Amino acid sequence: MGGFWIYGEWGENGFHPVVYELISVARRLAPKLAEKVTVVVLGTDDLREAARELFRYGVEKVLLFIHPELSYFRDDLYAEILAAAIKERDPSVFLFGATAEGQALAPRVAGLLGLGLTAHCIAFEVDDEARLIQIRPSFGENVMAKIVSKTRPQMATVRPGVFPKAEPQASGEGEPEEIRLSEVPKSVLRRRAVYPVPRKESPLSEAKVVVAGGRGLLTKENFEKLHELAKLLSGAVGATRPVCHLGWISEEHMIGVSGETVAPRLYIGFGISGALQHTVGMEGSEVVVAVNTDPEATLMQRADIAVVGDATRILPLLIRRIREIKEGRDGAS
Amino acid sequence: MNLIVCLKPVPEPGTVKVDPETHTLKRASSELIINPPDRFALEMAVELKERYGGKVTALMMGPPNAVPLLKEAYALGADELVLLSDRAFAGSDTLATSYALAKAIQKLSPFDLVLMGKASIDGETAQVGPETGAWLGIPSITQVKTLVRGENDAWVARRIFEDFEEEVEFSPPAVITVEPETNDPRPPSLKRLLAVRNLEPQVLSARQVDCDPTKTGLSGSPTQVLDVFTPTYEGKREVLSGEPEEVVEKLVSILRERGLI
Ligand SMILES: Cc1cc2nc3c(=O)[nH]c(=O)nc-3n(C[C@H](O)[C@H](O)[C@H](O)COP(=O)(O)OP(=O)(O)OC[C@H]3O[C@@H](n4cnc5c(N)ncnc54)[C@H](O)[C@@H]3O)c2cc1C
Ligand SMILES: Cc1cc2nc3c(=O)[nH]c(=O)nc-3n(C[C@H](O)[C@H](O)[C@H](O)COP(=O)(O)OP(=O)(O)OC[C@H]3O[C@@H](n4cnc5c(N)ncnc54)[C@H](O)[C@@H]3O)c2cc1C
């Protein structure tokens, strides 16, 4: 039967944002494997409407497994159901978001079926033999690894925030395939309570423009000019880890593996070398500008526009020039 | 109560380099340490033992030179030390690692809880815990902050999800992965440091724990690393250089052209 499966994690507020990111990955790759983009959802009747909505995002098939016992996530039970579904339907790929739930569930399924699983992927390719090349960072060593899986389905978890979200389309309708389970395996886990933990809202992750600074800005005083630039561009300020630790800005502004993931239309990095630990958090940016005295710096290689020069001088000049433009526009009349 | 804590030997950070020819990770020095997140699992196990009685077995799969790490675990409160060591385990991915650990854990049965770190600092997949639970056919509960014994035989774990925490009740046995920084690992005890000098870990081979040779090591690992590389970018990038005033002017006009400012 096959299929390019993605796990439809849901919660209080509908599907987890990472599901839409997985859909965009699947829509790009599934045709190369001649497979259908399929979302697999485990839950109750309450999910039928939301599951139907998925077709608007270019999903070709939705499998909705329904049973009252599936009203909340339970590792053992969910894994058993997915394992049985895999055995029955033989998908060629199965991707999960590397969320807390995805990271608990995917390896459990892999263990039940003896499957390979690649963790926290940030890029994929399909090779000539129709193998899914799974690319993941190794932060400790500042390198990337290309991994393939010898077992089927090829399974991977995907780092949230890296891929663009699929957008709803004008057309796109369909009916989920509902699988009403008459019985489910007994779970050993019983939820007693949940305690909401307010997600620390970071304006960063949603920002359309991010202006970020690193050690190359040399002083806190220089760094703080970024706030002015951010304001002019209606953007947010980001930072590398060392400058957060230097106390130039609070850690909520850190971009990278230990901080936020951003995917703005425009990212400008001043005096940032471009260590993998940082770039993994801004890989999804549309246009990257780097300002660095060293034209060989990694971020300069990665940039769409590489500005060779002293960031401490370029930043104030850029602010002045953009202010002129904005004021000229606003004040012209 | 029988508690098993899985401790991974990892290279000291900063001692690993990529071999530019073979693309494999080269260990510049063989300095091994206990995977730092596993210290929180060990501390949780020792605290449970102090509260409810029983013993803590430290289980490590690794090379013979990992023995000092197990002795350190003794000084930190573990009672029994087991090194699972065999050339057959070389090159194991998470599936093969969890298989071997599960086989060793079965040998150490009966047990109540298996505690693990959330993730290692080298492979950092966070997969070994749930996979081990699956091999053993017992539940796995990830990112646990606290663990208490409730009424009857039930236990209650508080675990972390993204925007909520859950209190979940279960009956042992189970595999627990412990969220880092949720307790305060104690310093090594002097008395135990002295006692461990005359103690050697039990060493178990693949055969001694009844491993199926087709499921261990490189050949038993379904994931295959094709390449390890440092990302290089070659693209249609534009390089602007010159006097600061000049480059700012050029940059601004490009950004305006593209409608970015
Ligand atoms: C486990 C782990 C997790 C980590 N997590 C993160 C993370 O989440 N986020 C993160 O950012 N880092 C993280 N790091 C740190 C990361 O490895 C790098 O050290 C860090 O990103 C580098 O910051 P930087 O670019 O500001 O500094 P540097 O690497 O020192 O780079 C400074 C750059 O500025 C340039 N420069 C110098 N003077 C000027 C000037 N006058 N004008 C213009 N350019 C100039 C230099 O050429 C250089 O390229 C982590 C590290 C580890 C080991
Ligand atoms: C760069 C790189 C990328 C890799 N990517 C993958 C991948 O995507 N998929 C994959 O299957 N394998 C991968 N591996 C292999 C994997 O890291 C090793 O198989 C390793 O033995 C176990 O995985 P982990 O370090 O990720 O452990 P984790 O799952 O992160 O460890 C969780 C816990 O399991 C316990 N544990 C783990 N190993 C041991 C041990 N040897 N002895 C005792 N307890 C242990 C510890 O309590 C630890 O805290 C990768 C390795 C490298 C170097």
Side-chain angles (χ1 to χ4, degrees):
Chain A
M1 289 228 261
F4 192 114
W5 284 16
I6 61 189
Y7 175 61
E9 177 176 346
W10 52 269
E12 282 271 278
N13 306 313
F15 287 106
H16 191 287
V18 77
V19 173
Y20 300 98
E21 296 164 14
L22 296 176
I23 292 173
S24 82
V25 172
R27 281 179 50 188
R28 183 169 62 84
L29 297 176
K32 299 187 186 172
L33 298 165
E35 297 288 0
K36 283 206 168 93
V37 177
T38 305
V39 184
V40 183
V41 185
L42 274 53
T44 61
D45 273 316
D46 295 348
L47 280 168
R48 293 169 70 191
E49 197 47 48
R52 197 172 293 125
E53 282 287 297
L54 288 170
F55 287 100
R56 289 182 46 225
Y57 294 84
V59 167
E60 293 162 281
K61 206 169 154 83
V62 176
L63 300 177
L64 177 57
F65 290 85
I66 296 178
H67 192 280
E69 286 286 311
L70 300 177
S71 63
Y72 63 94
F73 171 67
R74 283 186 277 187
D75 314 57
D76 52 353
L77 174 56
Y78 272 44
E80 292 281 351
I81 295 197
L82 290 182
I86 289 170
K87 274 200 226 155
E88 192 190 322
R89 294 164 184 262
D90 189 34
S92 86
V93 175
F94 200 172
L95 303 183
F96 295 72
T99 57
E101 180 174 321
Q103 290 186 85
L105 180 58
R108 190 143 181 116
V109 174
L112 288 175
L113 297 173
L115 300 173
L117 176 64
T118 305
H120 311 144
C121 293
I122 62 164
F124 294 97
E125 292 161 9
V126 172
D127 74 0
D128 303 339
E129 298 157 52
R131 288 188 304 185
L132 185 68
I133 313 281
Q134 305 152 10
I135 301 172
R136 62 161 301 207
S138 162
F139 301 117
E141 278 89 46
N142 204 3
V143 294
M144 302 271 219
K146 279 192 181 180
I147 296 175
V148 290
S149 191
K150 290 187 270 186
T151 44
R152 180 184 164 104
Q154 305 170 79
M155 295 229 301
T157 65
V158 178
R159 189 178 153 86
V162 173
F163 292 97
K165 291 184 181 56
E167 298 287 343
Q169 300 170 322
S171 63
E173 273 182 30
E175 277 303 314
E177 179 182 338
E178 287 180 12
I179 302 104
R180 296 187 165 275
L181 301 166
S182 51
E183 353 168 53
V184 295
K186 185 144 179 49
S187 173
V188 184
L189 306 171
R190 291 169 300 277
R191 176 175 283 179
R192 296 215 321 186
V194 292
Y195 305 90
V197 179
R199 206 188 289 248
K200 38 175 178 52
E201 245 359 291
S202 156
L204 256 183
S205 55
E206 299 295 322
K208 293 284 175 240
V209 175
V210 171
V211 295
R215 226 155 17 185
L217 281 172
L218 306 179
T219 63
K220 183 171 181 178
E221 199 191 354
N222 285 330
F223 184 91
E224 284 176 342
K225 298 198 177 108
L226 288 174
H227 294 287
E228 221 176 315
L229 182 59
K231 208 164 157 200
L232 282 168
L233 299 175
S234 311
V237 177
T240 63
R241 190 169 78 164
V243 310
C244 295
H245 288 178
L246 284 167
W248 294 359
I249 194 165
S250 68
E251 296 208 357
E252 285 116 69
H253 294 267
M254 190 193 301
I255 295 175
V257 56
S258 330
E260 295 291 327
T261 303
V262 301
R265 286 192 64 210
L266 174 63
Y267 166 102
I268 312 181
F270 294 89
I272 293 177
S273 59
L276 184 62
Q277 291 93 350
H278 180 76
T279 56
V280 71
M282 45 73 68
E283 206 64 63
S285 307
E286 227 167 277
V287 175
V288 174
V289 178
V291 182
N292 202 309
T293 42
D294 175 9
E296 303 299 319
T298 313
L299 193 66
M300 294 286 272
Q301 306 295 315
R302 160 72 182 80
D304 302 286
I305 305 169
V307 180
V308 186
D310 183 345
T312 65
R313 293 184 59 195
I314 289 175
L315 176 56
L317 287 170
L318 185 62
I319 291 171
R320 202 174 72 195
R321 190 68 192 91
I322 291 177
R323 178 173 305 119
E324 280 170 13
I325 294 169
K326 299 268 169 185
E327 282 177 358
R329 215 184 265 155
D330 297 342
S333 53
Chain B
M1 191 168 44
N2 264 344
L3 302 161
I4 299 173
V5 184
C6 296
L7 304 173
K8 180 177 183 182
V10 296
E12 176 103 60
T15 61
V16 181
K17 293 273 165 307
V18 182
D19 184 322
E21 307 233 307
T22 61
H23 301 297
T24 51
L25 298 179
K26 265 177 67 159
R27 309 262 130 113
S29 91
S30 55
E31 207 52 56
L32 291 175
I33 57 169
I34 297 175
N35 179 42
D38 299 356
R39 291 176 176 270
F40 302 98
L42 178 57
E43 177 62 26
M44 184 183 276
V46 175
E47 285 175 14
L48 288 173
K49 172 186 75 173
E50 287 169 348
R51 190 148 168 207
Y52 303 114
K55 68 167 184 195
V56 173
T57 303
L59 170 63
M60 181 175 277
M61 179 175 116
N65 64 342
V67 165
L69 308 189
L70 280 169
K71 294 196 172 192
E72 187 185 347
Y74 185 88
L76 296 169
D79 304 296
E80 296 196 358
L81 310 176
V82 178
L83 180 67
L84 183 60
S85 192
D86 202 308
R87 282 177 180 279
F89 296 136
S92 294
D93 70 357
T94 61
L95 189 76
T97 298
S98 59
Y99 171 75
L101 289 175
K103 285 307 229 179
I105 290 164
Q106 274 169 341
K107 271 281 156 189
L108 300 172
S109 288
F111 62 92
D112 298 281
L113 297 171
V114 177
L115 292 101
M116 298 203 186
K118 180 191 169 192
S120 72
I121 60 163
D122 56 346
E124 58 190 356
T125 65
Q127 290 175 182
V128 170
E131 284 174 342
T132 305
W135 284 115
L136 291 168
I138 61 176
S140 44
I141 308 175
T142 51
Q143 296 187 249
V144 170
K145 278 170 75 177
T146 58
L147 198 54
V148 289
R149 186 144 76 183
E151 277 134 46
N152 304 322
D153 195 26
W155 283 71
V156 178
R158 183 148 172 163
R159 72 191 292 199
I160 299 177
F161 286 99
E162 252 115 74
D163 44 10
F164 66 95
E165 292 179 8
E166 178 192 50
E167 224 171 63
V168 61
E169 192 180 67
F170 66 99
S171 325
V175 175
I176 304 289
T177 80
V178 178
E179 181 73 13
E181 314 288 344
T182 49
N183 59 32
D184 212 352
R186 66 197 63 200
S189 120
L190 193 58
K191 206 173 105 210
R192 285 179 157 262
L193 271 174
L194 292 174
V196 77
R197 283 206 234 155
N198 309 313
L199 214 83
E200 282 305 316
Q202 181 187 5
V203 181
L204 294 175
S205 68
R207 182 161 327 133
Q208 281 169 313
V209 299
D210 307 320
C211 278
D212 172 349
T214 65
K215 293 196 169 114
T216 56
L218 202 55
S219 59
S221 295
T223 62
Q224 201 184 338
V225 179
L226 293 183
D227 194 10
V228 177
F229 63 101
T230 313
T232 51
Y233 301 98
E234 69 267 352
K236 8 91 220 148
R237 76 187 168 115
E238 222 157 326
V239 180
L240 310 181
S241 60
E243 285 305 308
E245 288 80 6
E246 247 175 83
V247 294
V248 165
E249 203 50 53
K250 279 191 262 179
L251 175 61
V252 167
S253 71
I254 296 173
L255 295 179
R256 288 183 85 178
E257 258 166 48
R258 298 207 192 172
L260 290 165
I261 55 174

